[in-house]
Amino acid sequence: MRHALIVPGLLAATLALGPARAQTPAAPYFDTYVAPAATKLPLFAVQQPDRQLSPFTGMTRRHWQDAARYLLSGAFSYVHGLDDPMQFPKQPGKTYPRTASQVPTEKLEGLCRTLFMAAPLLKEEPDLTLNGVKVADYYRHQLALLVDPQSVSYIQPRAKDGGPSQNLVEFGGLSVALFAAPEILWDPLPQATKDQLAATMLSYGDGPTVPQNWRYFNIFILSFYQSRGYQANTKLLEEYLQKQLTHYRGQGWYDDAPTFDYYSMWAFQLYGKLWSHYYGQQHYPQVASQLAANFAPLQDTYPYQFGRDGTMLMWGRSISYRFGAVVPFPLMGLAPTVPGTNFGWMRRIASGALLQFLQNPDFLQDNVPTLGFYGAFEPAVQAYSCRGSVYWLGKAFLGLLVPASSPFWTATENEGPWVSEFKPGTVFNKFEAGPNILVTDYPNVGAAELRDAPHQPASDPYRGNESYDRLSYNTAFPWQADGPRGEVAMNYVFKQADKWEPLRFYTFKKYADGVYYRTAELETNKNIRLRLADMPLPNGILRVDQNASTEATALRLGHYALPNLTGTIKRTTRKVKGHQASIIDNGTYQLALVPLAGWDRVEAVDATGLHPAAKTSTVLDAVGSTAPATRLYATLLLWKKSGAPFTDAELLPVRQVAPGASGATATLADGRRQLITFSE
């Protein structure tokens, strides 16, 4: 987890973003005034693609190295000499630094996180030079500055009564790099510098932490220095190791206390795998064995939540770390032990996700990745991030620590089950019982979708928002933020006083007969309640949601939103067997919303500044009321690629939804009957 504890007092300042926000005068905008780089990087291109080994992306291990060097060169465009910090132009908005006292930590983030890319490159190219600066010399020099009290990059040791801080996070990441390339980063250092680094880093590692993925930062610091002969708190190390194991929930997922998201992958699974490889197998073989057992199921679950072309979901906080989420795939090839792993599919996914962003023209600004999803996108930014935070995505390139002879690099790219197992005109569901996650793959459009049951209040500034509260997340349709006028995508919103409030409190009930069941209630008003049933169909979703509210209010249900990519979004309506279908088309995808029961009307709602892929966007919203007479909301949320209009059969795959005593019966167009059975 990334927490708000960047420096003392920042957590309190961040939590002040609650209801009192409007009454609190805004602090003066603080900027470090880093000038943009003098030259601009071109868009990343796969040079001399290898279409034999990688017929889909052209990317081999060499191209991964090219990508790491490309991103690292962007960071080094701000480095002209050994003393220059890894500090970048600030992105306007809620990001830190907000005071001068936070600047050393800002620089520390840039330094430690760019090492995720630099360390694997330096192991094979020790003389790597970027922007006229020898990269290895630069990092060693900067490590010495961290413990030089006269340096502006100096990091003070943790005070005896000091709590967890962002410095702990970055020193944990630095320890990963030290383990990975000690011959470059550690061994050449003067002994005095080593001792000073040990004292400073152990002051953080041998101390309090945040009780989820953060414990791994302590674990790596303690383990590295113990491996180098320094005295470390073995008791604390062993305590944190055992506590990390308690977060495992099955199917490769760790609960990051209190949610499931990519931190399970780019933190728990990554750190567990590398810690075992560099230290645990030798010193704590039982723990390492358990971590390996928890890693093994990933090949059967995690790949399915990526699109056919490797596109990853926009889901969860810190989404600016983007393709850092693919790092488990190459790590499957680190001393592989799980039989049957389709390494060609794993690499096709991982390379595809890299290209999803590297080849998007909005990805870099001033040679540095933006904080957002494609370009800068403030609704997806957390206040614990600075501009250098984004280099957490460099964790993907820790996959380059996997030897070139590994099957991850030598297998021929393929599309796995998308080729033969997933048939056009069908839908594939994979329910993961440990985390209660439903992953759905849609062969007709090559998209993947995820549903879970988060329960996070709005007072949680990192999780009580669109990053978690959508009814589902789809690789083809990144989430759109809610708007003040009731603009909503893939969620319900309810009118409370003069505001629209989305669902945030979900409870998983069951998965049965292809239907995913949850209950949901409004956070501020428990009289507003729904019983939710999602049934994925070949071209979309049938929603059958039962009203359990005892209070009447206006509500809206949103489809996914479409970004305006070409200057216009076409809107049409069609009558199909007595039902009106509302359709929008942005030239890439078409979306259709067909109300079957419970709705008053459908609106096509334009939005500005709410979508991560374009300045303007459009969403279809169904409008109704929770008046007790309304017992059932039945809705078809459909999609297909642009080019050919929806057929009548595609617009009405369900003939009718009839309410019953315990739920409803949906009659599909082919005559099959689907019983929807709710339970409390």
Side-chain angles (χ1 to χ4, degrees):
M1 169 190 174
R2 294 291 315 289
H3 208 274
L5 298 171
I6 297 172
V7 293
L10 185 55
L11 176 60
T14 303
L15 293 183
L17 298 175
R21 178 180 178 182
Q23 303 166 1
T24 305
Y29 181 71
F30 178 85
D31 194 352
T32 49
Y33 302 108
V34 176
T39 59
K40 181 179 179 181
L41 286 179
L43 196 64
F44 178 77
V46 180
Q47 301 292 338
Q48 297 179 320
D50 186 337
R51 295 297 176 185
Q52 276 197 310
L53 186 63
S54 302
F56 298 97
T57 68
M59 290 190 70
T60 64
R61 190 172 186 272
R62 174 177 62 82
H63 298 102
W64 276 56
Q65 291 172 321
D66 291 346
R69 196 178 295 106
Y70 169 82
L71 288 171
L72 192 61
S73 70
F76 267 81
S77 66
Y78 292 88
V79 174
H80 305 280
L82 297 182
D83 287 328
D84 291 343
M86 276 293 179
Q87 191 178 26
F88 313 106
K90 185 176 180 180
Q91 183 171 304
K94 62 174 77 79
T95 62
Y96 94 93
R98 291 181 284 279
T99 65
S101 64
Q102 297 171 0
V103 172
T105 299
E106 174 201 14
K107 297 175 182 176
L108 183 66
E109 285 211 44
L111 181 73
C112 296
R113 296 186 180 208
T114 53
L115 270 169
F116 294 144
M117 301 174 289
L121 292 175
L122 288 170
K123 284 186 74 69
E124 299 181 41
E125 193 179 348
D127 293 328
L128 176 65
T129 300
L130 296 173
N131 200 26
V133 177
K134 283 199 168 185
V135 173
D137 289 349
Y138 173 79
Y139 282 107
R140 288 192 294 262
H141 182 75
Q142 287 289 317
L143 290 179
L145 294 182
L146 295 179
V147 292
D148 179 359
Q150 304 306 311
S151 169
V152 294
S153 298
Y154 175 65
I155 301 295
Q156 293 186 349
R158 182 181 67 88
K160 285 188 176 181
D161 59 349
S165 71
Q166 195 64 41
N167 293 338
L168 168 62
V169 178
E170 305 317 319
F171 282 142
L174 174 56
S175 298
V176 174
L178 294 176
F179 259 130
E183 71 279 13
I184 302 292
L185 301 171
W186 176 258
D187 296 343
L189 295 176
Q191 189 60 46
T193 301
K194 292 179 179 178
D195 293 345
Q196 292 167 325
L197 277 170
T200 296
M201 292 174 68
L202 283 169
S203 75
Y204 290 92
D206 185 7
T209 192
V210 181
Q212 2 81 332
N213 76 78
W214 272 49
R215 294 192 189 99
Y216 269 116
F217 309 136
N218 304 74
I219 288 167
F220 260 93
I221 295 169
L222 294 169
S223 297
F224 177 76
Y225 283 104
Q226 193 172 74
S227 76
R228 261 55 189 177
Y230 290 88
Q231 185 174 356
N233 189 338
T234 301
K235 182 179 179 181
L236 185 65
L237 170 62
E238 294 172 354
E239 174 191 336
Y240 284 170
L241 284 169
Q242 292 302 320
K243 286 182 175 178
Q244 291 305 74
L245 293 174
T246 67
H247 288 259
Y248 188 66
R249 296 292 180 268
Q251 285 76 52
W253 287 99
Y254 288 87
D255 178 352
D256 198 36
T259 48
F260 297 101
D261 51 36
Y262 286 124
Y263 279 88
S264 183
M265 305 305 166
W266 58 38
F268 278 94
Q269 291 288 18
L270 164 71
Y271 292 131
K273 187 75 169 177
L274 291 183
W275 175 84
S276 297
H277 179 71
Y278 288 116
Y279 189 77
Q281 289 171 357
Q282 180 179 356
H283 297 278
Y284 294 96
Q286 287 186 319
V287 175
S289 177
Q290 186 59 59
L291 290 171
N294 295 350
F295 186 89
L298 284 180
Q299 67 154 355
D300 296 320
T301 56
Y302 194 46
Y304 292 83
Q305 73 178 60
F306 291 78
R308 182 169 185 165
D309 61 358
T311 303
M312 63 175 284
L313 294 165
M314 184 182 181
W315 170 58
R317 65 196 176 88
S318 300
I319 197 59
S320 298
Y321 304 163
R322 301 169 174 98
F323 53 71
V326 307
V327 69
F329 296 123
L331 292 184
M332 291 176 189
L334 186 64
T337 58
V338 181
T341 302
N342 185 344
F343 285 105
W345 186 32
M346 301 303 111
R347 194 175 76 254
R348 192 274 176 272
I349 294 171
S351 296
L354 261 63
L355 295 178
Q356 175 185 358
F357 300 99
L358 287 169
Q359 294 187 331
N360 186 290
D362 296 326
F363 174 59
L364 296 185
Q365 183 176 323
D366 302 324
N367 295 346
V368 179
T370 57
L371 289 162
F373 192 59
Y374 291 115
F377 185 56
E378 185 71 0
V381 176
Q382 281 75 46
Y384 52 63
S385 289
C386 67
R387 189 65 184 277
S389 300
V390 74
Y391 286 111
W392 186 284
L393 58 75
K395 285 184 170 184
F397 299 107
L398 292 173
L400 290 169
L401 299 172
V402 175
S405 59
S406 166
F408 178 79
W409 299 115
T410 60
T412 302
E413 266 188 359
N414 65 78
E415 294 184 308
W418 292 95
V419 177
S420 57
E421 185 179 346
F422 298 166
K423 305 289 187 183
T426 65
V427 65
F428 181 84
N429 291 316
K430 180 176 279 290
F431 178 64
E432 300 166 18
N436 293 323
I437 285 174
L438 178 66
V439 172
T440 303
D441 293 303
Y442 295 94
N444 284 2
V445 293
E449 196 170 62
L450 182 145
R451 294 168 175 79
D452 65 350
H455 195 92
Q456 294 307 121
S459 59
D460 184 330
Y462 312 135
R463 304 174 195 82
N465 54 38
E466 298 90 344
S467 296
Y468 295 90
D469 68 19
R470 304 295 88 173
L471 293 165
S472 57
Y473 295 85
N474 192 294
T475 58
F477 310 110
W479 62 256
Q480 174 174 289
D482 294 338
R485 298 179 292 112
E487 308 99 315
V488 61
M490 201 43 69
N491 201 355
Y492 280 92
V493 291
F494 302 83
K495 194 68 176 289
Q496 297 290 284
D498 60 344
K499 295 182 179 179
W500 291 93
E501 181 179 342
L503 291 177
R504 295 188 186 91
F505 286 4
Y506 296 89
T507 301
F508 173 77
K509 304 307 292 186
K510 63 182 178 180
Y511 173 71
D513 299 325
V515 182
Y516 187 77
Y517 293 90
R518 293 168 286 186
T519 57
E521 65 182 24
L522 207 58
E523 179 183 358
T524 63
N525 186 351
K526 296 185 184 300
N527 294 325
I528 306 298
R529 301 182 69 249
L530 296 177
R531 301 183 184 101
L532 306 174
D534 300 41
M535 182 179 176
L537 302 170
N539 293 310
I541 307 163
L542 169 64
R543 297 207 59 80
V544 181
D545 301 326
Q546 190 180 68
N547 183 18
S549 304
T550 59
E551 185 176 307
T553 190
L555 84 162
R556 302 170 69 90
L557 168 67
H559 201 327
Y560 291 117
L562 287 182
N564 188 339
L565 302 174
T566 61
T568 184
I569 292 181
K570 183 181 178 182
R571 311 159 188 239
T572 57
T573 58
R574 295 239 310 265
K575 278 282 188 181
V576 183
K577 297 183 179 179
H579 297 282
Q580 179 160 297
S582 298
I583 304 167
I584 55 176
D585 187 337
N586 73 344
T588 303
Y589 287 103
Q590 303 171 76
L591 299 179
L593 192 155
V594 184
L596 301 177
W599 297 109
D600 297 335
R601 65 185 185 278
V602 175
E603 297 177 351
V605 181
D606 294 329
T608 301
L610 300 182
H611 199 281
K615 181 179 180 181
T616 60
S617 57
T618 303
V619 63
L620 294 168
D621 285 353
V623 180
S625 168
T626 62
T630 305
R631 293 295 297 159
L632 209 66
Y633 308 102
T635 321
L636 286 166
L637 306 171
L638 307 171
W639 53 76
K640 68 180 298 184
K641 292 182 178 179
S642 296
F646 279 100
T647 66
D648 286 357
E650 289 171 335
L651 286 173
L652 202 63
V654 177
R655 291 180 186 172
Q656 67 171 2
V657 177
S662 60
T665 300
T667 303
L668 305 185
D670 61 8
R672 288 183 296 124
R673 293 161 64 87
Q674 176 69 53
L675 188 63
I676 309 292
T677 305
F678 296 106
S679 58
E680 282 295 331

